[in-house]
Amino acid sequence: MSTDWDLTEIYPSFEDSSFLSDVEELKKKIEDFKVFETRIHSLLAVDGLEEYIQKLSDFSALTSRLGSYVSLTLSVDTTNAEALKYSDIIEGMLTNIVEPMTKIEKWIADIEDLDACIQSSSLLQTHEFFIKEIVAMDRYSLSAKEENIIANMRNTGSNAWAKLKDQLISTHKVKVDDKELPLTMVLNMAYDEDKEVRKKAYEAEIASYKSIEQGVAACLNGIKGEVLTECALRGYASPLERTLISSRMSQETLEVMLEAIEESLPAFRNYLKAKAAHLGYSNGLPFYELYAPVVDADMKFDYEKGSAFVVNQFRTFSSHLASFADEAIHKSWIDVYPKAGKVGGAFCSNLHFIKQSRFLLNYGDSFNDVVTLAHELGHGFHGECLKEQTELNADYPMPIAETASTFSETIIKKAAIKEAGRDEALAILETEISGCTQVIVDIYSRFLFEKHLFEERAVSALSVERIKTLMTDAQKSAYGDGLDENYLHPYMWTWKPHYYYADSNFYNFPYAFGLLLAKGLYAKYKEEGPGFAEKYEQFLAYTGKATLEDVAMSIGINLKDKAFWKTSLQTIIEDIEEFKELIKDAH
């Protein structure tokens, strides 16, 4: 079983004729859109809309193929010269579609009897939500010329800053015991069984950022400054409002979820203090002990063992989920281990154009790595459930993206606890609660950090010291006395990639949304039994063509009801209470 992914089903290489011909095809399709824009006004509304949907579907599939190949190549080798070259070339080409596309979308927004037009065509009925979303977004559109300027400037602005940040982080080395190690490898030491290794890795990591902090801070200031400028030009009240609209999520849903989270924080702090006391700390848990094992259980999972474990546990839910995971593992869809030049973290890229996915991991043989594998495969299964949808109906918003992944995590953790001995069960339960703490408490701190960062960036650029202070202040607000204030992490903004997505700001609360919605879905599964698997797949298939509130209501969940969020959080709080009892007898 290969541990490097295979991208040849996208393209064999940058030199291959299929890649080069598709680059030329992209140029042709852009020119074709320009011509189409000039004649659309002479067409009947139905004919123009149908032709637009067909052209855009083909165009989206082509740009996804080209863009995925470039970005996936760069994610495992950020210095790849060919990938960097074509990234610039393709981004430059795509700026030429902005002006005609803006004019076409304004034409769509001005169609007088749009409903009757849509109802007269099965193709348009299939894409009704997509079309009406274009109309709704028209109020935030600028003139075609202005849109073109922004798209061009972005290539030398946020896109360039993001690439610089990726290179700074992916090539960054940390000196541990006189050895220069990749950052990703040092981050994995947080799970080591030896306390001294964990502390040494944390201290070395924190000290290492001095060499790149100014460069990364410049990237952050540049990207956030651009976002604020563009939001103001478009008429958004804030970047958060823009994120909620693009997330198809109401302000009310976010507010009730955050209220429920705030009310739950004392329970998470009690967990952290119980863990700290067990590990011998009296002033809260040091940051470097967040992932420390609490029992001496044999929880080492090499990749072969870990991947087999995931497939077997997925099978307890559905054979479809298990067979999908098995295919991904054995058909070289996954890039498994850390290496120089590879980006940190983990992600899934759903490749709708070939009905497959690719997964990046930085696997380190801990049970947490097994959980991460399950998480990313959950994203892939979401894509699997959408593969019969059209290209334009397969694009779902950020918050719902984290639901399938977290649901998959829950499956393996719950099943694993049932099969485990006492120490192993405690270790798995602690992994579950530790993960939930990250997704609820740490994510809340990241939300606070980004909110305050935008507020201050609207006035001026922030110094490194000010950014660090905002980060530690946010951690204190979220973690409270659960963490030792002398050992926080002032540099969490450097390597977390989400802060550097100019098009996806506040990519933090979607994780909490996904976790808590997944908890609600899992409760329904336990209540309804095996028949729920089919409903779950239908739910995922619907996510590309409705608001989050409507998608959730399709399976009987009201997202505007605070009681739903509190019930989901209560399942975690019950786990915390069980942990506090079990930890008393652990050695």
Side-chain angles (χ1 to χ4, degrees), residues 410-435:
T410 305
I411 290 170
I412 69 150
K413 289 173 185 169
K414 295 293 187 186
I417 286 172
K418 282 184 182 177
E419 293 184 5
R422 181 183 176 83
D423 281 355
E424 285 188 340
L426 177 57
I428 295 166
L429 180 64
E430 203 278 326
T431 297
E432 160 73 354
I433 299 168
S434 174

Side-chain angles (χ1 to χ4, degrees), residues 498-557:
H498 303 145
Y499 298 124
Y500 303 87
Y501 298 163
D503 290 331
S504 302
N505 297 281
F506 288 98
Y507 204 154
N508 32 60
F509 71 78
Y511 284 92
F513 178 100
L515 170 71
L516 296 176
L517 181 53
K519 292 288 182 187
L521 290 169
Y522 192 81
K524 281 185 168 289
Y525 160 53
K526 297 308 290 182
E527 184 183 314
E528 298 181 21
F532 180 78
E534 186 176 347
K535 286 185 183 178
Y536 176 68
E537 291 189 25
Q538 291 169 354
F539 161 83
L540 293 178
Y542 186 43
T543 53
K545 48 189 181 185
T547 65
L548 295 187
E549 287 78 12
D550 287 345
V551 170
M553 197 58 79
S554 75
I555 207 162
I557 292 171

Side-chain angles (χ1 to χ4, degrees), residues 1-7 9 303 307-308 310-311 314-315 319-336 347-351 355-361 372-384 387:
M1 149 169 81
S2 173
T3 56
D4 294 324
W5 61 24
D6 179 9
L7 302 182
E9 288 198 55
Y303 181 63
S307 57
V310 167
V311 173
F314 278 177
R315 193 165 283 112
S319 57
H320 187 187
L321 178 58
S323 62
F324 170 79
D326 193 62
E327 182 177 24
I329 290 160
H330 290 99
K331 288 194 173 179
S332 301
W333 293 5
I334 308 176
D335 202 89
V336 179
F347 67 74
C348 163
S349 179
N350 287 331
L351 310 175
K355 303 190 187 308
Q356 296 179 12
S357 297
R358 292 296 181 272
F359 307 88
L360 181 138
L361 306 174
T372 299
L373 172 61
H375 180 102
E376 300 308 336
L377 287 170
H379 282 305
F381 188 66
H382 195 163
E384 168 78 1
K387 69 181 185 182

Side-chain angles (χ1 to χ4, degrees), residues 42 54 127-128 137 154 203 232 316 349 365 412 464 471 496 541 560 582:
S42 64
Q54 289 162 346
H127 295 91
E128 181 174 4
M137 292 303 294
R154 191 176 289 144
E203 290 174 342
T316 66
S349 179
D365 292 350
I412 69 150
V464 168
M471 180 57 78
K496 288 291 182 185
K560 294 182 180 180
L582 289 172

Side-chain angles (χ1 to χ4, degrees), residues 156-422:
T156 51
S158 57
N159 290 347
W161 285 120
K163 285 177 188 173
L164 174 59
K165 189 277 303 179
D166 282 346
Q167 288 186 14
L168 287 170
I169 293 298
S170 65
T171 58
H172 182 56
K173 295 290 196 299
V174 181
K175 193 172 185 180
V176 183
D177 290 336
D178 296 322
K179 290 182 181 177
E180 296 278 340
L181 301 175
L183 175 61
T184 49
M185 196 174 289
V186 176
L187 293 174
N188 278 343
M189 290 179 183
Y191 303 94
D192 198 273
E193 293 174 1
D194 188 332
K195 169 184 168 180
E196 291 307 313
V197 170
R198 298 192 297 268
K199 185 177 182 182
K200 191 182 295 182
Y202 161 83
E203 290 174 342
E205 179 204 347
I206 297 296
S208 75
Y209 291 119
K210 279 289 179 188
S211 64
I212 59 169
E213 63 180 8
Q214 293 294 340
V216 181
C219 296
L220 187 64
N221 274 305
I223 291 169
K224 295 309 190 190
E226 177 182 296
V227 170
L228 284 160
T229 300
E230 188 177 337
C231 283
L233 284 170
R234 294 186 180 283
Y236 291 103
S238 66
L240 179 57
E241 183 189 53
R242 184 179 188 177
T243 295
L244 286 169
I245 290 169
S246 66
S247 296
R248 302 170 185 164
M249 177 176 175
S250 71
Q251 179 79 30
E252 186 180 352
T253 293
L254 177 65
E255 285 174 359
V256 296
M257 183 185 78
L258 290 177
E259 283 172 16
I261 286 172
E262 286 167 6
E263 291 169 15
S264 75
L265 292 176
F268 287 95
R269 291 165 184 166
N270 287 338
Y271 149 70
L272 292 166
K273 286 186 282 189
K275 181 172 180 175
H278 173 74
L279 295 174
Y281 300 99
S282 58
N283 194 34
L285 196 66
F287 198 95
Y288 59 83
E289 296 289 52
L290 277 170
Y291 309 110
V294 294
V295 288
D296 187 18
D298 182 19
M299 294 295 287
K300 287 291 183 186
F301 284 80
D302 63 30
Y303 181 63
E304 187 172 353
K305 179 183 175 183
S307 57
F309 181 84
V310 167
V311 173
N312 289 337
Q313 303 309 339
F314 278 177
R315 193 165 283 112
T316 66
F317 176 69
S318 86
S319 57
H320 187 187
L321 178 58
S323 62
F324 170 79
D326 193 62
E327 182 177 24
I329 290 160
H330 290 99
K331 288 194 173 179
S332 301
W333 293 5
I334 308 176
D335 202 89
V336 179
Y337 296 113
K339 51 195 168 192
K342 182 176 178 178
V343 298
F347 67 74
C348 163
S349 179
N350 287 331
L351 310 175
H352 191 264
F353 51 89
I354 54 172
K355 303 190 187 308
Q356 296 179 12
S357 297
R358 292 296 181 272
F359 307 88
L360 181 138
L361 306 174
N362 278 281
Y363 199 87
D365 292 350
S366 74
F367 186 67
N368 273 295
D369 293 301
V370 179
V371 172
T372 299
L373 172 61
H375 180 102
E376 300 308 336
L377 287 170
H379 282 305
F381 188 66
H382 195 163
E384 168 78 1
C385 292
L386 284 160
K387 69 181 185 182
E388 299 308 318
Q389 299 293 320
T390 66
E391 183 75 28
L392 302 182
N393 283 341
D395 187 20
Y396 48 85
M398 287 190 296
I400 208 78
E402 297 305 329
T403 301
S405 52
T406 312
F407 186 85
S408 295
E409 281 188 32
T410 305
I411 290 170
I412 69 150
K413 289 173 185 169
K414 295 293 187 186
I417 286 172
K418 282 184 182 177
E419 293 184 5
R422 181 183 176 83

